[in-house]
Amino acid sequence: MGAGLAYSNGLRISANDGLVGYYAERCPELPQTLQFVIDELRRGPRNPAYVDYAIAQAFMEFRSASSYESRGEAIANDLADGLPPSTVRAFRQAILDLRSNPNLASEVFDQLPKVYGQVLPGYNVRGADVPGGIYFAIGPEKQLKLYEDYLKNVEGKATTLARLYPRDFWMVTGW
């Protein structure tokens, strides 16, 4: 969003699934947006208050403020996923216990390049080295060409960006 480089963007983390993703919507040029984000990460302050914010994110699905029905549905989903209340409680307590580590802020900031590098092409980690990594972009050909050129520059000349078109999909069963 800095300098109008994305309408909406950010890192998305799913603690339940162990997945991390980066999302940027309506960018004028995807390579420009990616480079802006990477530059911000590299020069960003190592403010310990950000660690408290990160810890709070682990509690985003905290249910006490939700309606009875929403809490019941979330608990049912946890149980269906094999996450009994004792596991959820233990996870949250372990996150809270991390706050007693006097080196926590330093350790968290030391991990940023590794974590963000897995989802931001051009930031420390090659996409080919991320097990299970899936990268895609949706946009007009001009945007995809710019992104492919960027990927060739940061990932290697052999990198290709596969294109899928609506005509590549078809119904296999009748209506």
Side-chain angles (χ1 to χ4, degrees):
M1 292 183 292
L5 295 177
Y7 179 78
S8 174
N9 72 357
L11 190 73
R12 308 289 196 263
I13 297 174
S14 171
N16 282 354
D17 300 320
L19 299 174
V20 178
Y22 174 76
Y23 169 82
E25 178 182 349
R26 291 181 247 169
C27 321
E29 293 183 6
L30 186 53
Q32 182 184 23
T33 301
L34 286 169
Q35 196 56 59
F36 175 80
V37 170
I38 291 168
D39 291 344
E40 288 295 306
L41 287 168
R42 287 187 173 136
R43 69 172 173 248
R46 293 173 66 104
N47 185 338
Y50 294 156
V51 176
D52 288 335
Y53 178 78
I55 288 173
Q57 297 305 299
F59 294 88
M60 285 296 291
E61 296 179 18
F62 195 64
R63 301 178 179 128
S64 64
S66 299
S67 69
Y68 175 79
E69 295 83 5
S70 295
R71 291 192 315 263
E73 181 181 7
I75 291 169
N77 287 336
D78 282 348
L79 291 172
D81 292 340
L83 295 171
S86 59
T87 301
V88 173
R89 186 180 316 106
F91 171 76
R92 291 183 173 158
Q93 187 60 54
I95 295 294
L96 290 173
D97 292 346
L98 287 172
R99 295 185 75 218
S100 64
N101 177 350
N103 298 321
L104 180 61
S106 178
E107 291 174 14
V108 167
F109 285 109
D110 289 346
Q111 291 298 313
L112 287 181
K114 178 182 174 188
V115 173
Y116 277 95
Q118 293 181 50
V119 295
L120 295 173
Y123 187 45
N124 299 329
V125 179
R126 288 176 27 90
D129 296 334
V130 178
I134 299 173
Y135 305 85
F136 68 93
I138 300 170
E141 179 58 31
K142 178 182 175 187
Q143 182 77 283
L144 298 178
K145 177 67 173 129
L146 290 168
Y147 185 45
E148 184 172 42
D149 292 345
Y150 173 80
L151 291 174
K152 286 180 180 297
N153 186 44
V154 299
E155 298 279 326
K157 297 291 182 201
T159 302
T160 59
L161 182 66
R163 274 116 167 126
L164 298 176
Y165 301 93
R167 67 178 179 264
D168 294 331
F169 301 92
W170 58 89
M171 300 292 292
V172 293
T173 60
W175 291 90

